[in-house]
PDB file of all heavy atoms in Angstrom:
ATOM      1  N   LEU G   1     103.919  89.804  85.347  1.00 37.00           N
ATOM      2  CA  LEU G   1     103.309  90.887  86.177  1.00 37.00           C
ATOM      3  C   LEU G   1     101.970  91.253  85.481  1.00 37.00           C
ATOM      4  O   LEU G   1     101.862  91.320  84.299  1.00 37.00           O
ATOM      5  CB  LEU G   1     104.194  92.176  86.130  1.00 37.00           C
ATOM      6  CG  LEU G   1     105.477  92.069  86.929  1.00 37.00           C
ATOM      7  CD1 LEU G   1     106.331  93.337  86.633  1.00 37.00           C
ATOM      8  CD2 LEU G   1     105.162  92.030  88.432  1.00 37.00           C
ATOM      9  N   THR G   2     100.945  91.455  86.296  1.00 38.00           N
ATOM     10  CA  THR G   2      99.660  91.775  85.791  1.00 38.00           C
ATOM     11  C   THR G   2      99.205  93.110  86.349  1.00 38.00           C
ATOM     12  O   THR G   2      99.682  93.550  87.407  1.00 38.00           O
ATOM     13  CB  THR G   2      98.603  90.711  86.166  1.00 38.00           C
ATOM     14  OG1 THR G   2      98.544  90.609  87.585  1.00 38.00           O
ATOM     15  CG2 THR G   2      98.995  89.354  85.571  1.00 38.00           C
ATOM     16  N   PHE G   3      98.229  93.738  85.658  1.00 35.00           N
ATOM     17  CA  PHE G   3      97.731  95.060  86.077  1.00 35.00           C
ATOM     18  C   PHE G   3      96.217  95.041  85.790  1.00 35.00           C
ATOM     19  O   PHE G   3      95.795  94.616  84.734  1.00 35.00           O
ATOM     20  CB  PHE G   3      98.458  96.192  85.409  1.00 35.00           C
ATOM     21  CG  PHE G   3      98.165  97.518  85.931  1.00 35.00           C
ATOM     22  CD1 PHE G   3      98.491  97.884  87.166  1.00 35.00           C
ATOM     23  CD2 PHE G   3      97.538  98.433  85.114  1.00 35.00           C
ATOM     24  CE1 PHE G   3      98.235  99.158  87.715  1.00 35.00           C
ATOM     25  CE2 PHE G   3      97.305  99.733  85.537  1.00 35.00           C
ATOM     26  CZ  PHE G   3      97.654 100.076  86.832  1.00 35.00           C
ATOM     27  N   SER G   4      95.432  95.515  86.666  1.00 37.00           N
ATOM     28  CA  SER G   4      93.988  95.508  86.552  1.00 37.00           C
ATOM     29  C   SER G   4      93.435  96.465  85.556  1.00 37.00           C
ATOM     30  O   SER G   4      92.344  96.326  85.092  1.00 37.00           O
ATOM     31  CB  SER G   4      93.295  95.658  87.860  1.00 37.00           C
ATOM     32  OG  SER G   4      93.641  96.880  88.470  1.00 37.00           O
ATOM     33  N   GLY G   5      94.172  97.508  85.265  1.00 39.00           N
ATOM     34  CA  GLY G   5      93.629  98.605  84.411  1.00 39.00           C
ATOM     35  C   GLY G   5      93.976  98.356  82.977  1.00 39.00           C
ATOM     36  O   GLY G   5      94.411  97.331  82.530  1.00 39.00           O
ATOM     37  N   ARG G   6      93.841  99.448  82.145  1.00 38.00           N
ATOM     38  CA  ARG G   6      94.129  99.343  80.757  1.00 38.00           C
ATOM     39  C   ARG G   6      95.582  99.681  80.424  1.00 38.00           C
ATOM     40  O   ARG G   6      96.039  99.454  79.353  1.00 38.00           O
ATOM     41  CB  ARG G   6      93.224 100.393  80.013  1.00 38.00           C
ATOM     42  CG  ARG G   6      91.730 100.159  80.166  1.00 38.00           C
ATOM     43  CD  ARG G   6      90.890 101.230  79.432  1.00 38.00           C
ATOM     44  NE  ARG G   6      89.505 101.058  79.737  1.00 38.00           N
ATOM     45  CZ  ARG G   6      88.558 101.934  79.362  1.00 38.00           C
ATOM     46  NH1 ARG G   6      88.933 102.995  78.635  1.00 38.00           N
ATOM     47  NH2 ARG G   6      87.308 101.710  79.610  1.00 38.00           N
ATOM     48  N   LEU G   7      96.305 100.201  81.372  1.00 38.00           N
ATOM     49  CA  LEU G   7      97.665 100.493  81.088  1.00 38.00           C
ATOM     50  C   LEU G   7      98.492  99.194  81.176  1.00 38.00           C
ATOM     51  O   LEU G   7      98.122  98.246  81.770  1.00 38.00           O
ATOM     52  CB  LEU G   7      98.252 101.451  82.207  1.00 38.00           C
ATOM     53  CG  LEU G   7      97.743 102.890  82.152  1.00 38.00           C
ATOM     54  CD1 LEU G   7      98.368 103.683  83.272  1.00 38.00           C
ATOM     55  CD2 LEU G   7      98.114 103.500  80.767  1.00 38.00           C
ATOM     56  N   PRO G   8      99.643  99.110  80.546  1.00 40.00           N
ATOM     57  CA  PRO G   8     100.552  97.972  80.725  1.00 40.00           C
ATOM     58  C   PRO G   8     101.037  97.854  82.150  1.00 40.00           C
ATOM     59  O   PRO G   8     100.973  98.836  82.906  1.00 40.00           O
ATOM     60  CB  PRO G   8     101.686  98.253  79.731  1.00 40.00           C
ATOM     61  CG  PRO G   8     101.673  99.731  79.573  1.00 40.00           C
ATOM     62  CD  PRO G   8     100.230 100.178  79.661  1.00 40.00           C
ATOM     63  N   PRO G   9     101.597  96.756  82.550  1.00 36.00           N
ATOM     64  CA  PRO G   9     102.069  96.638  83.884  1.00 36.00           C
ATOM     65  C   PRO G   9     103.090  97.639  84.285  1.00 36.00           C
ATOM     66  O   PRO G   9     103.982  97.921  83.511  1.00 36.00           O
ATOM     67  CB  PRO G   9     102.737  95.216  83.890  1.00 36.00           C
ATOM     68  CG  PRO G   9     102.146  94.533  82.775  1.00 36.00           C
ATOM     69  CD  PRO G   9     101.840  95.567  81.752  1.00 36.00           C
ATOM     70  N   PRO G  10     102.860  98.362  85.442  1.00 34.00           N
ATOM     71  CA  PRO G  10     103.853  99.354  85.834  1.00 34.00           C
ATOM     72  C   PRO G  10     105.192  98.697  86.238  1.00 34.00           C
ATOM     73  O   PRO G  10     105.154  97.748  86.968  1.00 34.00           O
ATOM     74  CB  PRO G  10     103.194 100.049  87.079  1.00 34.00           C
ATOM     75  CG  PRO G  10     102.257  99.000  87.596  1.00 34.00           C
ATOM     76  CD  PRO G  10     101.830  98.191  86.389  1.00 34.00           C
ATOM     77  N   PRO G  11     106.333  99.223  85.820  1.00 35.00           N
ATOM     78  CA  PRO G  11     107.620  98.589  86.105  1.00 35.00           C
ATOM     79  C   PRO G  11     108.098  98.939  87.441  1.00 35.00           C
ATOM     80  O   PRO G  11     109.110  99.593  87.679  1.00 35.00           O
ATOM     81  CB  PRO G  11     108.521  99.159  85.030  1.00 35.00           C
ATOM     82  CG  PRO G  11     107.926 100.524  84.831  1.00 35.00           C
ATOM     83  CD  PRO G  11     106.480 100.449  84.940  1.00 35.00           C
ATOM     84  N   GLN G  12     107.386  98.569  88.493  1.00 37.00           N
ATOM     85  CA  GLN G  12     107.796  98.834  89.845  1.00 37.00           C
ATOM     86  C   GLN G  12     107.181  97.834  90.818  1.00 37.00           C
ATOM     87  O   GLN G  12     106.154  97.222  90.507  1.00 37.00           O
ATOM     88  CB  GLN G  12     107.427 100.263  90.313  1.00 37.00           C
ATOM     89  CG  GLN G  12     105.899 100.507  90.303  1.00 37.00           C
ATOM     90  CD  GLN G  12     105.598 101.910  90.645  1.00 37.00           C
ATOM     91  OE1 GLN G  12     106.326 102.814  90.324  1.00 37.00           O
ATOM     92  NE2 GLN G  12     104.432 102.143  91.233  1.00 37.00           N
ATOM     93  N   VAL G  13     107.937  97.594  91.931  1.00 39.00           N
ATOM     94  CA  VAL G  13     107.448  96.733  92.996  1.00 39.00           C
ATOM     95  C   VAL G  13     107.381  97.569  94.193  1.00 39.00           C
ATOM     96  O   VAL G  13     108.341  98.325  94.541  1.00 39.00           O
ATOM     97  CB  VAL G  13     108.371  95.502  93.183  1.00 39.00           C
ATOM     98  CG1 VAL G  13     107.928  94.693  94.427  1.00 39.00           C
ATOM     99  CG2 VAL G  13     108.441  94.667  91.955  1.00 39.00           C
ATOM    100  N   LEU G  14     106.235  97.547  94.935  1.00 39.00           N
ATOM    101  CA  LEU G  14     106.019  98.444  96.045  1.00 39.00           C
ATOM    102  C   LEU G  14     106.040  97.611  97.323  1.00 39.00           C
ATOM    103  O   LEU G  14     105.416  96.507  97.374  1.00 39.00           O
ATOM    104  CB  LEU G  14     104.704  99.162  95.941  1.00 39.00           C
ATOM    105  CG  LEU G  14     104.461 100.002  94.654  1.00 39.00           C
ATOM    106  CD1 LEU G  14     103.026 100.492  94.587  1.00 39.00           C
ATOM    107  CD2 LEU G  14     105.430 101.166  94.644  1.00 39.00           C
ATOM    108  N   SER G  15     106.680  98.125  98.336  1.00 43.00           N
ATOM    109  CA  SER G  15     106.658  97.501  99.658  1.00 43.00           C
ATOM    110  C   SER G  15     106.452  98.570 100.662  1.00 43.00           C
ATOM    111  O   SER G  15     106.985  99.662 100.554  1.00 43.00           O
ATOM    112  CB  SER G  15     107.966  96.735  99.945  1.00 43.00           C
ATOM    113  OG  SER G  15     109.050  97.589  99.900  1.00 43.00           O
ATOM    114  N   PRO G  16     105.743  98.234 101.837  1.00 46.00           N
ATOM    115  CA  PRO G  16     105.482  99.279 102.782  1.00 46.00           C
ATOM    116  C   PRO G  16     106.695  99.802 103.375  1.00 46.00           C
ATOM    117  O   PRO G  16     107.695  99.030 103.713  1.00 46.00           O
ATOM    118  CB  PRO G  16     104.597  98.564 103.786  1.00 46.00           C
ATOM    119  CG  PRO G  16     104.020  97.391 103.086  1.00 46.00           C
ATOM    120  CD  PRO G  16     105.076  97.005 102.065  1.00 46.00           C
ATOM    121  N   ALA G  17     106.779 101.129 103.653  1.00 62.00           N
ATOM    122  CA  ALA G  17     107.919 101.665 104.425  1.00 62.00           C
ATOM    123  C   ALA G  17     107.942 101.072 105.829  1.00 62.00           C
ATOM    124  O   ALA G  17     106.907 100.737 106.416  1.00 62.00           O
ATOM    125  CB  ALA G  17     107.771 103.148 104.481  1.00 62.00           C
ATOM    126  N   ARG G  18     109.129 100.981 106.399  1.00 75.00           N
ATOM    127  CA  ARG G  18     109.291 100.296 107.648  1.00 75.00           C
ATOM    128  C   ARG G  18     109.777 101.272 108.740  1.00 75.00           C
ATOM    129  O   ARG G  18     110.548 102.232 108.424  1.00 75.00           O
ATOM    130  CB  ARG G  18     110.296  99.134 107.467  1.00 75.00           C
ATOM    131  CG  ARG G  18     109.831  98.138 106.409  1.00 75.00           C
ATOM    132  CD  ARG G  18     110.822  97.024 106.243  1.00 75.00           C
ATOM    133  NE  ARG G  18     112.126  97.463 105.835  1.00 75.00           N
ATOM    134  CZ  ARG G  18     112.451  97.657 104.569  1.00 75.00           C
ATOM    135  NH1 ARG G  18     111.565  97.473 103.575  1.00 75.00           N
ATOM    136  NH2 ARG G  18     113.638  98.035 104.172  1.00 75.00           N
ATOM    137  N   PRO G  19     109.462 101.014 110.004  1.00 83.00           N
ATOM    138  CA  PRO G  19     109.917 101.877 111.090  1.00 83.00           C
ATOM    139  C   PRO G  19     111.452 101.939 111.136  1.00 83.00           C
ATOM    140  O   PRO G  19     111.985 103.040 111.501  1.00 83.00           O
ATOM    141  CB  PRO G  19     109.401 101.186 112.381  1.00 83.00           C
ATOM    142  CG  PRO G  19     108.185 100.393 111.882  1.00 83.00           C
ATOM    143  CD  PRO G  19     108.503  99.972 110.444  1.00 83.00           C
ATOM    144  N   GLU G  20     112.170 100.923 110.756  1.00 86.00           N
ATOM    145  CA  GLU G  20     113.612 101.009 110.802  1.00 86.00           C
ATOM    146  C   GLU G  20     114.167 102.042 109.840  1.00 86.00           C
ATOM    147  O   GLU G  20     115.255 102.602 110.067  1.00 86.00           O
ATOM    148  CB  GLU G  20     114.247  99.667 110.564  1.00 86.00           C
ATOM    149  CG  GLU G  20     113.899  99.005 109.266  1.00 86.00           C
ATOM    150  CD  GLU G  20     112.763  98.028 109.392  1.00 86.00           C
ATOM    151  OE1 GLU G  20     111.903  98.251 110.282  1.00 86.00           O
ATOM    152  OE2 GLU G  20     112.684  97.070 108.594  1.00 86.00           O
ATOM    153  N   LEU G  21     113.419 102.294 108.774  1.00 87.00           N
ATOM    154  CA  LEU G  21     113.825 103.357 107.842  1.00 87.00           C
ATOM    155  C   LEU G  21     113.691 104.752 108.484  1.00 87.00           C
ATOM    156  O   LEU G  21     114.468 105.626 108.198  1.00 87.00           O
ATOM    157  CB  LEU G  21     113.093 103.258 106.503  1.00 87.00           C
ATOM    158  CG  LEU G  21     113.213 101.922 105.771  1.00 87.00           C
ATOM    159  CD1 LEU G  21     112.463 101.960 104.424  1.00 87.00           C
ATOM    160  CD2 LEU G  21     114.735 101.642 105.477  1.00 87.00           C
ATOM    161  N   ILE G  22     112.622 104.914 109.271  1.00 90.00           N
ATOM    162  CA  ILE G  22     112.474 106.165 109.969  1.00 90.00           C
ATOM    163  C   ILE G  22     113.625 106.364 110.958  1.00 90.00           C
ATOM    164  O   ILE G  22     114.239 107.497 111.062  1.00 90.00           O
ATOM    165  CB  ILE G  22     111.143 106.254 110.672  1.00 90.00           C
ATOM    166  CG1 ILE G  22     109.956 106.298 109.641  1.00 90.00           C
ATOM    167  CG2 ILE G  22     111.050 107.468 111.608  1.00 90.00           C
ATOM    168  CD1 ILE G  22     108.585 106.454 110.235  1.00 90.00           C
ATOM    169  N   ARG G  23     113.970 105.283 111.673  1.00 91.00           N
ATOM    170  CA  ARG G  23     115.091 105.349 112.626  1.00 91.00           C
ATOM    171  C   ARG G  23     116.420 105.647 111.857  1.00 91.00           C
ATOM    172  O   ARG G  23     117.232 106.415 112.420  1.00 91.00           O
ATOM    173  CB  ARG G  23     115.232 104.039 113.403  1.00 91.00           C
ATOM    174  CG  ARG G  23     114.102 103.779 114.392  1.00 91.00           C
ATOM    175  CD  ARG G  23     114.469 102.618 115.330  1.00 91.00           C
ATOM    176  NE  ARG G  23     114.494 101.373 114.679  1.00 91.00           N
ATOM    177  CZ  ARG G  23     113.429 100.568 114.537  1.00 91.00           C
ATOM    178  NH1 ARG G  23     112.279 100.879 115.005  1.00 91.00           N
ATOM    179  NH2 ARG G  23     113.637  99.418 113.864  1.00 91.00           N
ATOM    180  N   ARG G  24     116.592 105.066 110.732  1.00 92.00           N
ATOM    181  CA  ARG G  24     117.788 105.393 109.891  1.00 92.00           C
ATOM    182  C   ARG G  24     117.849 106.823 109.568  1.00 92.00           C
ATOM    183  O   ARG G  24     118.940 107.411 109.570  1.00 92.00           O
ATOM    184  CB  ARG G  24     117.768 104.483 108.679  1.00 92.00           C
ATOM    185  CG  ARG G  24     118.970 104.604 107.764  1.00 92.00           C
ATOM    186  CD  ARG G  24     120.208 103.987 108.399  1.00 92.00           C
ATOM    187  NE  ARG G  24     121.279 103.874 107.475  1.00 92.00           N
ATOM    188  CZ  ARG G  24     122.566 103.654 107.794  1.00 92.00           C
ATOM    189  NH1 ARG G  24     122.905 103.553 109.096  1.00 92.00           N
ATOM    190  NH2 ARG G  24     123.489 103.609 106.891  1.00 92.00           N
ATOM    191  N   THR G  25     116.662 107.350 109.212  1.00 92.00           N
ATOM    192  CA  THR G  25     116.670 108.788 108.824  1.00 92.00           C
ATOM    193  C   THR G  25     117.004 109.680 110.030  1.00 92.00           C
ATOM    194  O   THR G  25     117.758 110.630 109.902  1.00 92.00           O
ATOM    195  CB  THR G  25     115.226 109.203 108.351  1.00 92.00           C
ATOM    196  OG1 THR G  25     114.894 108.311 107.254  1.00 92.00           O
ATOM    197  CG2 THR G  25     115.195 110.623 107.912  1.00 92.00           C
ATOM    198  N   PHE G  26     116.541 109.312 111.256  1.00 94.00           N
ATOM    199  CA  PHE G  26     116.903 110.072 112.439  1.00 94.00           C
ATOM    200  C   PHE G  26     118.411 109.906 112.730  1.00 94.00           C
ATOM    201  O   PHE G  26     119.058 110.933 113.138  1.00 94.00           O
ATOM    202  CB  PHE G  26     116.098 109.559 113.691  1.00 94.00           C
ATOM    203  CG  PHE G  26     114.788 110.250 113.873  1.00 94.00           C
ATOM    204  CD1 PHE G  26     113.587 109.674 113.541  1.00 94.00           C
ATOM    205  CD2 PHE G  26     114.740 111.557 114.346  1.00 94.00           C
ATOM    206  CE1 PHE G  26     112.389 110.299 113.662  1.00 94.00           C
ATOM    207  CE2 PHE G  26     113.515 112.221 114.561  1.00 94.00           C
ATOM    208  CZ  PHE G  26     112.363 111.592 114.159  1.00 94.00           C
ATOM    209  N   GLU G  27     118.945 108.711 112.486  1.00 94.00           N
ATOM    210  CA  GLU G  27     120.380 108.569 112.672  1.00 94.00           C
ATOM    211  C   GLU G  27     121.215 109.464 111.749  1.00 94.00           C
ATOM    212  O   GLU G  27     122.272 109.970 112.164  1.00 94.00           O
ATOM    213  CB  GLU G  27     120.792 107.108 112.414  1.00 94.00           C
ATOM    214  CG  GLU G  27     120.259 106.128 113.440  1.00 94.00           C
ATOM    215  CD  GLU G  27     120.547 104.655 113.034  1.00 94.00           C
ATOM    216  OE1 GLU G  27     121.298 104.434 112.034  1.00 94.00           O
ATOM    217  OE2 GLU G  27     120.010 103.794 113.684  1.00 94.00           O
ATOM    218  N   SER G  28     120.727 109.660 110.510  1.00 94.00           N
ATOM    219  CA  SER G  28     121.470 110.413 109.564  1.00 94.00           C
ATOM    220  C   SER G  28     121.563 111.930 109.985  1.00 94.00           C
ATOM    221  O   SER G  28     122.531 112.635 109.580  1.00 94.00           O
ATOM    222  CB  SER G  28     120.852 110.393 108.199  1.00 94.00           C
ATOM    223  OG  SER G  28     119.641 111.113 108.134  1.00 94.00           O
ATOM    224  N   VAL G  29     120.655 112.466 110.783  1.00 94.00           N
ATOM    225  CA  VAL G  29     120.626 113.858 111.091  1.00 94.00           C
ATOM    226  C   VAL G  29     120.928 114.094 112.639  1.00 94.00           C
ATOM    227  O   VAL G  29     120.791 115.220 113.118  1.00 94.00           O
ATOM    228  CB  VAL G  29     119.263 114.510 110.816  1.00 94.00           C
ATOM    229  CG1 VAL G  29     118.990 114.475 109.267  1.00 94.00           C
ATOM    230  CG2 VAL G  29     118.089 113.808 111.546  1.00 94.00           C
ATOM    231  N   ARG G  30     121.453 113.062 113.343  1.00 94.00           N
ATOM    232  CA  ARG G  30     121.802 113.285 114.669  1.00 94.00           C
ATOM    233  C   ARG G  30     122.822 114.365 114.827  1.00 94.00           C
ATOM    234  O   ARG G  30     123.754 114.465 114.102  1.00 94.00           O
ATOM    235  CB  ARG G  30     122.406 111.888 115.185  1.00 94.00           C
ATOM    236  CG  ARG G  30     122.670 111.928 116.726  1.00 94.00           C
ATOM    237  CD  ARG G  30     123.315 110.667 117.147  1.00 94.00           C
ATOM    238  NE  ARG G  30     124.643 110.480 116.545  1.00 94.00           N
ATOM    239  CZ  ARG G  30     124.933 109.627 115.615  1.00 94.00           C
ATOM    240  NH1 ARG G  30     124.029 108.812 115.101  1.00 94.00           N
ATOM    241  NH2 ARG G  30     126.196 109.547 115.104  1.00 94.00           N
ATOM    242  N   ASP G  31     122.540 115.270 115.817  1.00 93.00           N
ATOM    243  CA  ASP G  31     123.383 116.417 116.180  1.00 93.00           C
ATOM    244  C   ASP G  31     123.382 117.505 115.091  1.00 93.00           C
ATOM    245  O   ASP G  31     124.154 118.463 115.205  1.00 93.00           O
ATOM    246  CB  ASP G  31     124.912 115.981 116.349  1.00 93.00           C
ATOM    247  CG  ASP G  31     125.045 114.961 117.496  1.00 93.00           C
ATOM    248  OD1 ASP G  31     124.330 115.047 118.476  1.00 93.00           O
ATOM    249  OD2 ASP G  31     125.919 114.069 117.352  1.00 93.00           O
ATOM    250  N   ALA G  32     122.484 117.456 114.143  1.00 95.00           N
ATOM    251  CA  ALA G  32     122.310 118.543 113.188  1.00 95.00           C
ATOM    252  C   ALA G  32     121.714 119.725 113.906  1.00 95.00           C
ATOM    253  O   ALA G  32     120.969 119.550 114.899  1.00 95.00           O
ATOM    254  CB  ALA G  32     121.515 118.156 112.020  1.00 95.00           C
ATOM    255  N   LYS G  33     121.953 120.903 113.441  1.00 95.00           N
ATOM    256  CA  LYS G  33     121.442 122.139 114.096  1.00 95.00           C
ATOM    257  C   LYS G  33     119.956 122.330 113.820  1.00 95.00           C
ATOM    258  O   LYS G  33     119.168 122.595 114.745  1.00 95.00           O
ATOM    259  CB  LYS G  33     122.258 123.344 113.670  1.00 95.00           C
ATOM    260  CG  LYS G  33     123.741 123.216 114.022  1.00 95.00           C
ATOM    261  CD  LYS G  33     124.538 124.348 113.389  1.00 95.00           C
ATOM    262  CE  LYS G  33     126.001 124.194 113.684  1.00 95.00           C
ATOM    263  NZ  LYS G  33     126.829 125.174 112.847  1.00 95.00           N
ATOM    264  N   ASN G  34     119.624 122.269 112.540  1.00 96.00           N
ATOM    265  CA  ASN G  34     118.237 122.552 112.096  1.00 96.00           C
ATOM    266  C   ASN G  34     117.822 121.508 111.104  1.00 96.00           C
ATOM    267  O   ASN G  34     118.528 121.309 110.070  1.00 96.00           O
ATOM    268  CB  ASN G  34     118.113 123.972 111.473  1.00 96.00           C
ATOM    269  CG  ASN G  34     118.721 125.044 112.366  1.00 96.00           C
ATOM    270  OD1 ASN G  34     118.317 125.215 113.501  1.00 96.00           O
ATOM    271  ND2 ASN G  34     119.714 125.779 111.773  1.00 96.00           N
ATOM    272  N   VAL G  35     116.713 120.832 111.331  1.00 96.00           N
ATOM    273  CA  VAL G  35     116.285 119.724 110.482  1.00 96.00           C
ATOM    274  C   VAL G  35     114.801 119.938 110.070  1.00 96.00           C
ATOM    275  O   VAL G  35     113.933 120.109 110.912  1.00 96.00           O
ATOM    276  CB  VAL G  35     116.446 118.374 111.153  1.00 96.00           C
ATOM    277  CG1 VAL G  35     115.890 117.283 110.271  1.00 96.00           C
ATOM    278  CG2 VAL G  35     117.952 118.153 111.383  1.00 96.00           C
ATOM    279  N   ILE G  36     114.558 119.805 108.770  1.00 96.00           N
ATOM    280  CA  ILE G  36     113.164 119.683 108.253  1.00 96.00           C
ATOM    281  C   ILE G  36     113.029 118.219 107.847  1.00 96.00           C
ATOM    282  O   ILE G  36     113.684 117.744 107.008  1.00 96.00           O
ATOM    283  CB  ILE G  36     112.961 120.577 107.013  1.00 96.00           C
ATOM    284  CG1 ILE G  36     113.112 122.066 107.410  1.00 96.00           C
ATOM    285  CG2 ILE G  36     111.544 120.370 106.382  1.00 96.00           C
ATOM    286  CD1 ILE G  36     113.072 123.003 106.234  1.00 96.00           C
TER     287      ILE G  36
END
């Protein structure tokens, strides 16, 4: 793993959030009374 700055490589891999994860979130709160 490489990193362009002066810090050592950050121990994480990033991937874009996906529309299916939003749908999954909506599924989790289906029929809830009040949702933030």
Side-chain angles (χ1 to χ4, degrees):
L1 289 170
T2 60
F3 189 64
S4 58
R6 300 177 185 174
L7 290 179
Q12 61 186 29
V13 176
L14 303 172
S15 62
R18 302 180 298 276
E20 58 265 29
L21 298 182
I22 293 182
R23 289 194 292 270
R24 182 69 168 166
T25 305
F26 272 106
E27 290 173 10
S28 74
V29 297
R30 187 184 64 252
D31 299 325
K33 299 169 185 175
N34 308 304
V35 174
I36 297 172

